[in-house]
Amino acid sequence: IMPGFSVKAKGNIIVEKNVDDAHVEATGDIQVKAGITGKGATKVIAGGKLKTLYILNSNVEAVNEIEVEDSIINCKVFSNDRISVTDKHGKIMGSDVTARHEIIVNAAGSPQENTTVLTVGKSLFVEREMAEIRKEMNIVREKVDETIRKIKASFGEDLFKNPKDFVAKLPTVKKKNCLILLKDLSESNRELKELTNRYKETEEKNKLEREPTITITDVVYPGTVINIQKRRRLIEQKIQNAKFFEDQEEKVVKFTSAV
């Protein structure tokens, strides 16, 4: 698929050669038999699994597993399940790679200490949904604050001590204006409560089916960042044959032997 082209399909897509600076999207699986590459404009989105030889300078995401044979270099990659680089010399370099449950690769980072970030225990789909709700909540909070400011400017703070009695004593015109503002405030607070409940329900989607881990069978180089849920570990010296996990008691990222 050549630069500048866009391909969208219901179901699966099989690309016999490369995807190069193109947009490819499928509701099902995507298989790219050569590689996914470009100069930064490539975006590939799979509603199922994604399989390819390598990913270079691209933005890739899949609802299910991403399987790469050779390498992920200078990319942003997300799977809502797991990411594996299967070759015995496979590597992830200079990339931001996130999987909900698991990342498996032979080598991560590079001796030149290019920034490589590996993250597990997060769903970017859920994070995006939560971010949108937060935006809506901020807008409603601003409406609440503005309405309260108007009420205080027009009627003072005593209104909030006993609104019913305060309003009953107001002249007709002022009473009408006051009731409009109080109604606006009530509706905004109701909307904020609904959004807060939606946010909590969305947060529940972040619960994991299994413990998130990052397995690096050969070497992880200094400068690599390991994120497991809310815990972060910057690799300061070369580590070999490591399986990273979160220590629930100490609330830190630790590692054990991968094999």
Side-chain angles (χ1 to χ4, degrees), residues 155 158-159 162-176 178-179:
F155 303 102
D158 288 345
L159 167 64
N162 192 331
K164 190 174 180 180
D165 288 349
F166 189 95
V167 171
K169 296 172 185 177
L170 290 173
T172 304
V173 175
K174 282 193 172 184
K175 183 187 291 186
K176 183 181 178 181
C178 186
L179 288 171

Side-chain angles (χ1 to χ4, degrees), residues 43-256:
K43 185 155 191 177
V44 179
I45 302 171
K49 296 179 181 178
L50 185 142
K51 186 174 182 180
T52 190
L53 179 63
Y54 65 87
I55 309 174
L56 174 66
N57 300 328
S58 301
N59 191 322
V60 173
E61 62 183 56
V63 171
N64 297 326
E65 178 183 2
I66 293 176
E67 183 181 319
V68 180
E69 185 177 329
D70 183 72
S71 58
I72 299 172
I73 300 174
N74 297 331
C75 294
K76 191 162 188 174
V77 178
F78 167 68
S79 163
N80 207 44
D81 184 18
R82 70 194 293 267
I83 294 170
S84 59
V85 182
T86 59
D87 189 85
K88 65 180 181 178
H89 301 299
K91 55 188 176 288
I92 298 173
M93 293 172 50
S95 297
D96 187 346
V97 176
T98 301
R100 186 176 176 90
H101 294 114
E102 183 179 32
I103 295 172
I104 301 175
V105 66
N106 176 68
S110 72
Q112 290 74 36
E113 298 192 16
N114 291 347
T115 302
T116 300
V117 180
L118 305 182
T119 302
V120 291
K122 282 186 177 181
S123 168
L124 292 191
F125 298 141
V126 176
E127 296 283 334
R128 288 169 189 163
E129 192 176 345
M130 289 168 65
E132 286 302 313
I133 296 171
R134 281 196 298 269
K135 281 183 189 176
E136 291 181 55
M137 290 172 73
N138 288 335
I139 291 168
V140 176
R141 284 193 186 103
E142 287 175 7
K143 282 172 65 179
V144 168
D145 291 344
E146 178 62 16
T147 304
I148 290 173
R149 187 192 65 75
K150 286 179 180 178
I151 290 170
K152 287 181 178 179
S154 299
F155 303 102
E157 296 194 18
D158 288 345
L159 167 64
F160 295 102
K161 294 177 182 177
N162 192 331
K164 190 174 180 180
D165 288 349
F166 189 95
V167 171
K169 296 172 185 177
L170 290 173
T172 304
V173 175
K174 282 193 172 184
K175 183 187 291 186
K176 183 181 178 181
N177 291 337
C178 186
L179 288 171
I180 289 170
L181 287 171
L182 288 173
K183 184 183 178 184
D184 288 346
L185 182 60
S186 176
E187 288 177 353
S188 294
N189 280 326
R190 178 181 51 76
E191 190 178 354
L192 189 57
K193 186 177 179 181
E194 288 173 359
L195 286 168
T196 302
N197 290 335
R198 265 181 61 202
Y199 189 85
K200 288 177 181 176
E201 288 168 7
T202 305
E203 259 188 324
E204 288 295 308
K205 297 178 187 176
N206 255 333
K207 287 188 175 177
L208 301 169
E209 287 122 32
R210 59 185 185 271
E211 181 185 8
T213 58
I214 296 172
T215 301
I216 301 168
T217 54
D218 183 20
V219 59
V220 53
Y221 289 98
T224 302
V225 176
I226 303 291
N227 294 315
I228 300 183
Q229 293 185 294
K230 296 179 181 179
R231 313 302 165 200
R232 179 181 185 273
R233 178 168 182 160
L234 175 64
I235 304 303
E236 296 177 343
Q237 59 185 18
K238 189 189 294 186
I239 299 174
Q240 293 182 300
N241 185 35
K243 182 176 183 177
F244 293 89
F245 63 95
E246 180 189 2
D247 186 302
Q248 299 288 343
E249 290 185 4
E250 296 184 29
K251 301 188 185 304
V252 295
V253 174
K254 291 187 174 181
F255 67 91
T256 186

